[in-house]
Amino acid sequence: MPSWTTALRKAALSGLHYSGLAALLAPLARGKGVIFTLHSVRPEPPGAFEPNGILKVTPEFLEAAIETVRKAGYDIVSLDEAARRLKMDAPARPFACFTFDDGYRDNRDFAYPVFKRHNLPFAIYVPTAYPDGEGELWWLVLEAAVRKANEIRVVLDGVERHFEVRTPDEKNRAFDEIYWSLRRRPEAELRASVREIARLAGYDASSLCSDLIMSWDELRTLAADPLVTIGAHTHRHVAVVGLSEGEARAEIAESVERIARELGRPCRHFSFPYGDAGSAGARDFAIAAALGLETAVTTRKDVLSAKHPMTGLPRVSLNGNFQKARYVAVLMTGVPFLMIEAAKAVLRGARGQRAVHVATKAGRRKATRPGAASI
């Protein structure tokens, strides 16, 4: 996300907070509750070049987020309890769930002690190749390769590109351009490109997954605590929308079955990797439902309401760029998302009116041309 976009969003959220507008509109916008998306929890500050720092928050911010949610009168509940409440017509109190994607070891080392201290539940979604040490955390590989290199050569959109990456600014610009260009490509092509970038940079990613992700033994130990729910996140951490229906079903089903087998209990919850509209859709939500999952979550930004299917639930990101309690307080009200939808509706209406206006003018010109039929 460009720095000016982040600054604009921070200003908008701060305005909603300090004006009191978010709190005023919260009863109308907050829905039944909210599911938060997190990834990594680490105490160290971000570096000058850390493009994936958006995926990392500090334990202190996590603590502040929990306190903010509680002060707002929300119950912090497990995914099982969230599913139960979502099926109710009108739960008595709004609720929140904290969920972590990918299974980073720092979830155990830094997040778990915070939740344990407060006796609060949380969930971790794990791609089942990762605890075997076989996962490709390609976004982190790309970051590490760009950090190590002085120049990058890569084919983007059919054109060979050359990037000088000697300074943090050059590295940040190159990473953003390469990342978003590759995200538009099929995932197999994306991963092959990142592997080649890493090879040319002299970066060995072979131990990265086992260095960062919990093993099955570590997951079993953590999951022994009733506060912890382990959900599935596909086998290879892939965007299922780009797979055939059979392949998508296999990715989801294998991960659910493996989690259940390794932990000795049913796996009822799932998270779609990446989770945006370009990574999972209605077909995939239906697959998750047909497999008997209680919930499946995306990263589409919204609070929870009856309009969302149980296997296509939105979440609200708590990320490294927005580590202030006021941002949490505003986001969980749902007001920003309500305002965005209202703006989109106005824009659609304006476009519709323009289309009608253009069509009307075209019709008038046709009717006044020599030889035009009259009625």
Side-chain angles (χ1 to χ4, degrees), residues 208-357:
L208 182 66
C209 187
S210 56
D211 288 343
L212 296 181
I213 302 295
M214 285 181 280
S215 68
W216 287 113
D217 284 343
E218 290 171 315
L219 284 168
R220 275 188 283 270
T221 299
L222 187 61
D225 191 325
L227 292 176
V228 182
T229 297
I230 304 296
H233 199 37
T234 72
H235 174 56
R236 297 172 295 145
H237 196 285
V238 293
V240 293
V241 79
L243 305 177
S244 70
E245 184 171 350
E247 290 170 330
R249 181 181 295 273
E251 275 285 341
I252 298 170
E254 190 281 341
S255 66
V256 170
E257 292 163 6
R258 180 80 186 278
I259 294 286
R261 186 167 67 251
E262 292 287 350
L263 301 185
R265 68 187 70 169
C267 176
R268 294 185 286 267
H269 306 282
F270 180 82
S271 169
F272 289 100
Y274 312 112
D276 59 348
S279 302
R283 181 204 68 175
D284 311 303
F285 304 159
I287 290 173
L291 290 171
L293 287 157
E294 279 285 318
T295 69
V297 296
T298 68
T299 57
R300 301 181 188 193
K301 297 175 177 61
D302 204 352
V303 292
L304 302 167
S305 69
K307 69 181 179 182
H308 302 117
M310 291 291 291
T311 50
L313 297 172
R315 289 187 289 175
V316 172
S317 175
L318 299 183
N319 69 57
N321 284 345
F322 294 85
Q323 295 190 69
K324 299 289 185 183
R326 64 177 178 272
Y327 301 144
V328 181
V330 171
L331 288 168
M332 64 189 290
T333 66
V335 171
F337 314 119
L338 182 66
M339 295 178 72
I340 290 169
E341 285 304 311
K344 287 180 179 178
V346 170
L347 187 59
R348 285 193 298 269
R351 286 173 177 168
Q353 289 179 352
R354 177 172 173 76
V356 169
H357 178 65

